[in-house]
Amino acid sequence: MPRPKTDIAAVRKKLLEAAERHIKAHGPKKLTVSDIAAECGMSQSNAYRFFHSKRDLLEAVGERWFAEIERELADIAASRQPPAEQLVRFILRQYELKRARYADDPELFRAYLALGVANVSIVERHLNRMHAQLEAIMQRCGEDGLLGGREPGEAANLVEAMTARFRDPGQIMRFYDTDSPARVAEIAGLILAGMAHLRRDAA
């Protein structure tokens, strides 16, 4: 009889979940592929069939953590609701998702923060994808005359600068007790109103 085919997606998920548990307990620096393989009942060489290095494994863990956030925000960016509402929803939902993750499991949240600090490229790719989604929203805001003469890319940079506190995991933890979704929604609305009414100096 032919050997049954390996369910690659299932094995990768098992390895990623084991890596997440290890990162939560010990931090990303102490993770080894051999430890993760042993926890999953396989040899180290077999684990390398699915992740070629510790770096590959850690990057996949980080990408997995960001994936749900990115999917939901992509849906908001692709929606056809009025662009002003779309922008406020985009800023607010990103904050809500990260805040909820911290509330659900503070230790795991801190572990992922440490993972991002140790593997900056993971975070940079996530931020670049978020920026592209935000710029698409700003394009629609510009078409509605809401950017005060600013280009969508410039406006997106301004929004990111003014909302860093509500996107950065460290800041979300620091201000967890004082910030709230209602406050973030109000600030997002004020940012958009400010851009619309304070026109960019053409000079």
Side-chain angles (χ1 to χ4, degrees):
M1 292 180 59
R3 294 176 61 183
K5 291 183 178 180
T6 301
D7 187 338
I8 295 174
V11 175
R12 283 176 61 88
K13 181 181 178 183
K14 185 177 181 180
L15 289 165
L16 290 171
E17 289 175 345
E20 184 178 81
R21 290 192 294 272
H22 187 98
I23 290 168
K24 178 179 176 179
H26 308 292
K29 291 184 178 180
K30 293 185 178 180
L31 181 145
T32 67
V33 176
S34 59
D35 286 342
I36 302 307
E39 184 173 335
C40 294
M42 66 176 67
S43 67
Q44 181 177 344
S45 60
N46 193 25
Y48 279 125
R49 292 174 54 208
F50 303 93
F51 298 101
H52 300 304
S53 65
K54 173 182 174 178
R55 180 181 180 83
D56 285 347
L57 178 58
L58 287 175
E59 290 199 352
V61 171
E63 293 286 353
R64 182 172 179 260
W65 196 77
F66 285 129
E68 181 184 350
I69 294 172
E70 292 182 11
R71 280 195 299 270
E72 189 159 339
L73 293 178
D75 288 342
I76 294 172
S79 71
R80 301 310 298 174
Q81 65 187 129
E85 296 177 15
Q86 193 179 29
L87 177 62
V88 172
R89 184 60 181 158
F90 185 87
I91 295 169
L92 173 60
R93 192 57 184 149
Q94 186 170 182
Y95 173 74
E96 287 176 332
L97 289 168
K98 292 180 179 179
R99 178 183 172 92
R101 288 188 176 190
Y102 176 63
D104 289 343
D105 195 333
E107 289 183 13
L108 183 60
F109 193 88
R110 292 188 183 95
Y112 271 107
L113 179 58
L115 174 62
V117 170
N119 299 269
V120 178
S121 61
I122 302 172
V123 179
E124 287 179 342
R125 288 196 297 271
H126 167 68
L127 293 177
N128 287 340
R129 291 189 292 264
M130 293 295 92
H131 181 84
Q133 293 178 1
L134 176 59
E135 192 166 336
I137 294 173
M138 302 315 291
Q139 176 70 41
R140 293 192 64 215
C141 287
E143 292 167 1
D144 272 18
L146 301 176
L147 302 185
R150 298 169 184 84
E151 293 296 321
E154 177 190 7
N157 289 337
L158 286 172
V159 169
E160 287 174 339
M162 291 184 284
T163 60
R165 171 164 163 168
F166 311 123
R167 295 180 294 109
D168 178 81
Q171 297 296 307
I172 290 171
M173 288 193 300
R174 180 181 177 187
F175 296 105
Y176 181 84
D177 291 331
T178 55
D179 288 340
S180 68
R183 186 180 189 192
V184 173
E186 182 178 6
I187 290 171
L190 290 172
I191 290 171
L192 187 57
M195 283 196 294
H197 291 93
L198 297 174
R199 297 193 62 81
R200 183 181 186 276
D201 186 353

